[in-house]
Amino acid sequence: MELFFYLVPSLILALVLFMAYRLLRRAMQIRRAWNSGLTAEARCLRVYTTTHGGSGDTSVSTTLHHVYEFTARDGRTVRFEEEDGPGTVLEGDFVTVYYAEGATVVATAKAPRRTALAASMIGVLAFLGVVAGFCIAFMITFNQMSDEFGFGFGDDVDDTTNTVVVDGVTMTP
């Protein structure tokens, strides 16, 4: 039973660490595209939305997606999709994209807002840090409490030879 109290927080912690990795990776890609100094004119090929939620009493959330295509400096045609773009960009519109060259071209149509990107990343990482800290503190507290009361992996719960002293009173389970 106590495996449950270690397994669930460990899974939550793994999910939190994976989310932090993905968010940091994407923020670094956007920052790299902004700092490269390379821009191109891209054409919006497609605009579509995806919706989540709405079953039962939950609210509906809608995400706007844009698909862009541009020609990089080395002549490669690059097509990429970006979420949460401006609602004023429609199919066929031309926008300025910021990109960084490499084995894979990293691009964004979002205008440089370094301070906003940093502030949002700090906020999200702080929240994820609180969740991770809670999971670790929960597992440590559970471990200390299970050691104090004689429960743990491999311990026989029906063992009557253990005694516990509480406020000067010896108790035998």
Side-chain angles (χ1 to χ4, degrees), residues 128-139:
L128 293 176
V130 167
V131 173
F134 177 78
C135 290
I136 292 170
F138 179 84
M139 289 189 291

Side-chain angles (χ1 to χ4, degrees), residues 3 18 23 42 86 102 118 155:
L3 177 65
F18 178 72
L23 288 170
D155 286 347

Side-chain angles (χ1 to χ4, degrees), residues 44-55:
C44 181
L45 300 177
R46 184 168 183 232
V47 178
Y48 66 96
T49 59
T50 56
T51 56
H52 304 283
S55 62

Side-chain angles (χ1 to χ4, degrees), residues 79-109:
R79 182 179 293 186
F80 71 98
E81 178 181 333
E82 193 166 53
E83 293 181 357
D84 297 326
T88 57
V89 176
L90 304 174
E91 289 183 23
D93 287 352
F94 288 92
V95 297
T96 301
V97 294
Y98 303 85
Y99 70 99
E101 291 180 327
T104 58
V105 175
V106 177
T108 182

Side-chain angles (χ1 to χ4, degrees), residues 32-173:
R32 193 173 118 218
W34 287 340
N35 290 339
S36 72
L38 299 173
T39 61
E41 184 177 61
R43 184 167 185 253
C44 181
L45 300 177
R46 184 168 183 232
V47 178
Y48 66 96
T49 59
T50 56
T51 56
H52 304 283
S55 62
D57 292 337
T58 62
S59 63
V60 176
S61 107
T62 304
T63 305
L64 185 63
H65 300 262
H66 291 89
V67 178
Y68 298 106
E69 184 176 76
F70 69 97
T71 303
R73 185 172 61 171
D74 60 1
R76 287 187 283 178
T77 300
V78 178
R79 182 179 293 186
F80 71 98
E81 178 181 333
E82 193 166 53
E83 293 181 357
D84 297 326
T88 57
V89 176
L90 304 174
E91 289 183 23
D93 287 352
F94 288 92
V95 297
T96 301
V97 294
Y98 303 85
Y99 70 99
E101 291 180 327
T104 58
V105 175
V106 177
T108 182
K110 295 178 181 177
R113 296 178 55 209
R114 290 169 180 82
T115 306
L117 179 65
S120 66
M121 287 308 301
I122 289 170
V124 170
L125 289 176
F127 174 74
L128 293 176
V130 167
V131 173
F134 177 78
C135 290
I136 292 170
F138 179 84
M139 289 189 291
I140 290 171
T141 303
F142 179 76
N143 186 31
Q144 290 172 347
M145 290 182 68
S146 63
D147 286 347
E148 184 176 329
F149 292 108
F151 298 113
F153 293 114
D155 286 347
D156 187 9
V157 178
D158 294 332
D159 189 9
T160 58
T161 60
N162 293 335
T163 58
V164 178
V165 179
V166 178
D167 293 332
V169 177
T170 304
M171 299 172 56
T172 316

